[in-house]
Amino acid sequence: MKLKNIFLGVATAAMAMAAASCSNIDEGDRLIYVKPAEVGRAVLIEDLTGQRCSNCPDGNDIITDIIKTYGEDNVIAVGIHCGPLGLPGNSKRVGLKTDTGDEYYKYWANGTNLGQPSAIFNRKKGPSDNFNNWAAEVGLIISEKANLSVNIANAYDAKTRKLTTKVGAFGVNGTVSGKLQVWIVEDGIKAMQLMPDGSANQEYIHNHVFRAAVNGTWGEEVTVKEGETTTKQYSYEHLPETWNAENISVVAFVYNDNGVENVAKKHIVEHEEETEK
């Protein structure tokens, strides 16, 4: 019993010394900050296109090749049907031109007669209508590290056709201020397209077509701090019946005067290849 008491006394003294030593550590020195891991910068291609543009199929083929080269998670294209060569829809034809798309065209044209197709790459600079240089433009950006990452989570109700989207932006390098933009795009739309030989292809398949801006034409102000996630949630109450939900995706990106900080794309209906990732 006496030996046991000695051991108990030594243990108590050791605990007291440890507690005293901890209390002497400055509050700011108790935790070591670990900077978030670097993330790559995906490239957003805004393709200003039109169904009455005979050169646009060639531009689209080049974009398709760029995506195959770098991967669909690293290069995200959005075909914005707009401008003088865009085709409005009516009861007799499928037209993909939108009023919002025309707003983008007028902004980027800046009072000029901007050629189509023209493309903007991460909003680093103005549009390029020389599609033979587009792959090089992407190559200059693709190796950059980003200041934040973008994550998208979608919930879609097939009965009501309501889409709920949650977008998270996680800061990995400093504090970023800018705007968060959320778009709806659709793949696999069969509609007329003027071809390079002058013919009208009524069976042309249009992919990554801009359908709508969920949170306004130019998005909304957002601040993303290093090591923290800024989250926004949006609802699109009813997808039009003419839109195929299986082919619909949400594209979200943060941009500012430096260009697009990062971009992500996510189907609203989970596909098998996404389940396997």
Side-chain angles (χ1 to χ4, degrees):
M1 179 65 72
K2 187 174 183 181
L3 186 60
K4 182 177 180 182
N5 288 339
I6 292 173
F7 286 153
L8 181 60
V10 171
T12 303
M15 291 175 63
M17 290 175 65
S21 63
C22 286
S23 63
N24 291 331
I25 297 175
D26 186 85
E27 186 69 29
D29 295 333
R30 293 188 182 186
L31 295 177
I32 299 174
Y33 175 72
V34 178
K35 190 176 181 67
E38 291 183 335
V39 296
R41 191 189 301 270
V43 180
L44 172 66
I45 303 178
E46 296 171 78
D47 176 22
L48 305 180
T49 187
Q51 290 170 264
R52 295 182 292 199
C53 166
S54 61
N55 289 323
C56 286
D58 286 341
N60 182 68
D61 288 345
I62 287 175
I63 290 175
T64 300
D65 288 342
I66 293 172
I67 294 173
K68 287 179 180 178
T69 299
Y70 293 106
E72 60 183 12
D73 290 334
N74 298 316
V75 177
I76 296 169
V78 178
I80 302 173
H81 287 253
C82 57
L85 300 180
L87 184 67
N90 57 34
S91 59
K92 296 181 180 180
R93 69 187 182 201
V94 177
L96 303 176
K97 181 178 180 178
T98 64
D99 291 340
T100 305
D102 269 349
E103 286 189 59
Y104 294 136
Y105 177 85
K106 291 175 183 176
Y107 174 82
W108 291 112
N110 193 26
T112 67
N113 185 21
L114 181 63
Q116 291 177 271
S118 285
I120 304 100
F121 302 91
N122 267 6
R123 299 188 174 179
K124 293 286 189 181
K125 54 184 179 180
S128 167
D129 60 3
N130 185 350
F131 50 69
N132 292 316
N133 292 336
W134 288 0
E137 295 277 3
V138 173
L140 292 173
I141 302 172
I142 200 73
S143 61
E144 294 180 358
K145 296 303 181 183
N147 295 317
L148 56 82
S149 62
V150 177
N151 179 267
I152 304 170
N154 295 316
Y156 175 67
D157 188 326
K159 291 183 178 180
T160 63
R161 296 184 67 82
K162 180 179 179 180
L163 169 65
T164 302
T165 295
K166 183 180 290 186
V167 179
F170 176 72
V172 299
N173 184 36
T175 297
V176 176
S177 295
K179 289 189 175 183
L180 171 65
Q181 180 76 75
V182 181
W183 286 343
I184 294 176
V185 301
E186 183 176 358
D187 292 314
I189 303 173
K190 184 187 293 185
M192 190 282 295
Q193 176 64 53
L194 194 64
M195 302 302 290
D197 63 2
S199 64
N201 183 353
Q202 303 295 335
E203 305 293 315
Y204 190 86
I205 302 300
H206 298 264
N207 289 314
H208 44 75
V209 175
F210 171 82
R211 283 301 202 179
V214 175
N215 60 342
T217 303
W218 300 105
E220 62 180 309
E221 299 287 343
V222 68
T223 297
V224 184
K225 297 180 179 179
E226 182 178 309
E228 298 181 9
T229 300
T230 298
T231 304
K232 300 283 186 180
Q233 183 167 304
Y234 306 95
S235 293
Y236 201 90
E237 292 301 324
H238 186 82
L239 297 184
E241 300 294 336
T242 54
W243 297 3
N244 183 354
E246 292 287 336
N247 295 336
I248 293 288
S249 298
V250 170
V251 171
F253 59 97
V254 175
Y255 72 98
N256 52 32
D257 290 342
N258 297 320
V260 172
E261 292 285 349
N262 222 335
V263 57
K265 179 180 179 180
K266 182 78 171 179
H267 288 107
I268 67 169
V269 176
E270 192 171 75
H271 292 181
E272 184 176 343
E273 61 270 20
E274 293 177 326
T275 305
E276 293 174 351
K277 287 183 179 180

